[in-house]
């Protein structure tokens, strides 16, 4: 495989898996022609589209995340529609990705969010939103319901893209270039609902279980490769992952792509 088009699924704080997958392709000399991403996957898609090399992507993926990125802000919950206003998340994304816009991305990039007011998916691309910074689109795409405040943009109320399309392989150009979707699976089993955070986790699980199977089936029927990577025992909203855990997740993504490439080279 010399070229590839990549889609990264929703993943929350398990995005080091996606980073590992992207780095494996880059280290193998495979040219990434296009990327698409949802929620946590949108962050790695943006890193690739902003021209970051493998070493930089790995460094960002393993770097500490701000402790207060999910801090509960009780005074604003009722009118903010989330535990946190998302400002720390947004600044972290800006620091990691930079100010590059869709128009100035190094390759076509698609990021998916959900308009909860009109109850439909919203797709950001170079054609539709050329002046929008990639980091801003990631902030919208990663707005987990109940956790971070949704973003108001051009009259839309935007939240987690996983509600509409959690693995956006269908957003990639269909041609002779291989399309690969990296599918991260949540390592936390369904559990009790004792808090708003538990409720948010339940929302994530529900939306994934309800729509991801159809997206995967469609992708495979159209010739795309779906590469599932299990995150057990880590969960999408585990913001306090240790360096050891993040390194393990990175290596899982890296190894999955390495095995894919080795399998293809033997054919």
């Amino acid at each position: 495989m010399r070229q590839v088009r990549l889609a990264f699924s929703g993943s929350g704080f398990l995005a080091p898996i996606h980073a590992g997958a992207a780095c494996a392709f880059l280290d193998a000399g495979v040219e990434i022609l296009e990327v698409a991403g949802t929620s946590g996957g949108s962050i790695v898609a943006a890193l690739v589209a902003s021209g970051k090399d493998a070493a930089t992507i790995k460094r960002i993926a393993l770097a500490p995340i701000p402790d207060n990125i999910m801090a509960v802000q009780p005074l604003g919950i009722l009118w903010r529609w989330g535990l946190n206003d998302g400002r720390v998340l947004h600044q972290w994304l800006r620091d990691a990705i930079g100010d590059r816009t869709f128009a100035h991305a190094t390759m076509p990039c698609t990021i998916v969010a959900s308009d909860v007011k009109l109850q439909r998916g919203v797709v950001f691309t170079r054609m539709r939103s050329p002046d929008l910074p990639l980091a801003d689109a990631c902030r919208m795409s990663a707005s987990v319901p109940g956790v971070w405040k949704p973003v108001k943009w051009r009259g839309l109320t935007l939240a987690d893209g996983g509600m509409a399309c959690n693995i956006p392989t269908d957003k990639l150009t269909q041609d002779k270039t291989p399309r690969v979707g990296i599918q991260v699976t949540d390592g936390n089993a369904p559990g009790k609902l004792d808090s708003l955070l538990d409720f948010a986790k339940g929302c994530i699980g529900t939306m994934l279980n309800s729509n991801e199977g159809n997206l995967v089936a469609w992708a495979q029927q159209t010739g795309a490769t779906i590469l599932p990577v299990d995150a057990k025992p880590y969960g999408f909203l585990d913001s306090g992952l240790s360096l050891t855990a993040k390194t393990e997740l990175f290596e899982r993504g890296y190894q999955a792509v390495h095995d894919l490439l080795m399998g293809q080279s033997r054919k």
Side-chain angles (χ1 to χ4, degrees):
M1 184 185 296
R2 295 298 180 187
Q3 297 177 322
V4 69
R5 302 184 188 276
L6 286 179
F8 302 101
S9 75
S11 64
F13 292 105
L14 305 176
I17 289 177
H18 287 314
C23 289
F25 279 115
L26 293 171
D27 287 347
V30 177
E31 182 183 7
I32 302 174
L33 297 184
E34 180 184 8
V35 289
T38 295
S39 197
S42 73
I43 300 170
V44 176
L47 290 173
V48 174
S50 64
K52 303 286 193 295
D53 60 20
T56 302
I57 292 172
K58 182 176 183 179
R59 176 180 58 77
I60 293 171
L62 301 185
I65 292 173
D67 292 337
N68 56 345
I69 198 167
M70 287 177 58
V72 177
Q73 300 165 325
L75 294 180
I77 289 176
L78 292 180
W79 64 85
R80 192 174 50 234
W81 303 337
L83 292 172
N84 188 283
D85 62 18
R87 293 182 185 179
V88 174
L89 170 64
H90 194 191
Q91 187 59 54
W92 175 68
L93 291 169
R94 278 294 188 109
D95 291 342
I97 298 167
D99 296 328
R100 192 180 292 260
T101 64
F102 280 86
H104 294 97
T106 61
M107 66 189 67
C109 176
T110 300
I111 291 176
V112 181
S114 299
D115 180 4
V116 295
K117 185 175 181 179
L118 298 180
Q119 300 178 9
R120 62 180 177 84
V122 175
V123 176
F124 299 110
T125 65
R126 181 178 293 169
M127 293 295 293
R128 298 186 182 191
S129 48
D131 298 327
L132 181 69
L134 296 169
D136 291 9
C138 291
R139 165 66 179 94
M140 301 176 199
S141 181
S143 299
V144 177
V147 177
W148 288 291
K149 174 185 177 181
V151 178
K152 299 294 183 69
W153 184 78
R154 296 185 180 178
L156 307 179
T157 302
L158 298 171
D160 199 289
M163 293 185 286
C165 179
N166 196 56
I167 180 164
T169 318
D170 63 317
K171 304 299 187 288
L172 298 172
T173 303
Q174 293 186 51
D175 56 14
K176 294 182 180 180
T177 302
R179 290 171 292 128
V180 177
I182 310 299
Q183 181 189 22
V184 174
T185 58
D186 193 350
N188 283 342
K192 55 188 178 180
L193 294 176
D194 290 339
S195 67
L196 184 54
L197 185 57
D198 289 338
F199 177 74
K201 292 179 180 179
C203 287
I204 293 173
T206 300
M207 66 187 183
L208 296 187
N209 292 334
S210 64
N211 74 23
E212 193 161 293
N214 291 333
L215 292 169
V216 168
W218 180 92
Q220 293 172 331
Q221 288 173 3
T222 59
T225 297
I226 298 297
L227 201 59
V229 184
D230 195 339
K232 290 180 181 177
Y234 310 111
F236 284 155
L237 294 182
D238 289 347
S239 61
L241 292 173
S242 66
L243 175 59
T244 298
K246 288 190 284 190
T247 301
E248 178 186 346
L249 292 170
F250 180 93
E251 292 300 331
R252 289 185 195 181
Y254 196 101
Q255 189 64 46
V257 169
H258 174 77
D259 292 346
L260 173 68
L261 296 176
M262 289 298 292
Q264 291 186 341
S265 69
R266 290 194 289 265
K267 290 181 180 180

